[in-house]
Amino acid sequence: MISQNRTQHRSANLRISSPKLNVENCASIASEGKSLITAGAKELVIDVSEVTFVDSSGIGALVSLRKKIGEDGRVVLLNPQAFVLKVLSLIRMNDVFEIRTTGAPRGAAYG
């Protein structure tokens, strides 16, 4: 469900391979992300390209990661699908996260 890959320059990557980011999996995603941030990541790139549905619990998990990484860090959502972008826009979270819609995470090599 979740893959992680540590990269150079204090950046880390997570890939959510589930079609849903919701109450069923948000705790494990938040836990994985927080572990990477605690280990020193200042940029957390989350590949959400396979996510087609997100609920308030999923948004809460993403916000908790943004808070954990702090003002000098950033959380990047990679290739979100239209529904996810719409939800982020409706609740004005599209300004809280950096959105990358093309390419791959810097230095990523998911296996």
Side-chain angles (χ1 to χ4, degrees), residues 5 7 13 105 107-111:
N5 179 39
T7 62
N13 303 316
Y110 296 111

Side-chain angles (χ1 to χ4, degrees), residues 24-68:
E24 295 175 4
N25 61 3
C26 67
S28 61
I29 291 164
S31 177
E32 291 290 329
K34 287 178 181 178
S35 293
L36 292 167
I37 294 166
T38 300
K42 288 298 181 184
E43 177 183 69
L44 182 60
V45 179
I46 305 172
D47 182 344
V48 294
S49 60
E50 295 182 38
V51 177
T52 58
F53 175 82
V54 62
D55 69 6
S56 60
S57 298
I59 296 294
L62 295 175
V63 169
S64 73
L65 293 173
R66 180 65 189 99
K67 287 180 179 179
K68 176 79 173 168

Side-chain angles (χ1 to χ4, degrees), residues 73-104:
R74 63 181 166 182
V75 175
V76 178
L77 302 180
L78 182 66
N79 294 324
Q81 294 196 22
F83 178 81
V84 175
L85 282 173
K86 180 141 182 128
V87 169
L88 292 171
S89 178
L90 285 171
I91 60 173
R92 299 186 182 201
M93 288 286 137
N94 53 329
D95 293 331
V96 173
F97 304 102
E98 180 180 329
I99 307 293
R100 289 189 196 154
T101 56
T102 59

Side-chain angles (χ1 to χ4, degrees), residues 14-33:
L14 284 177
R15 181 177 55 183
I16 302 171
S17 58
S18 169
K20 296 181 181 179
L21 176 51
N22 62 8
V23 69
E24 295 175 4
N25 61 3
C26 67
S28 61
I29 291 164
S31 177
E32 291 290 329

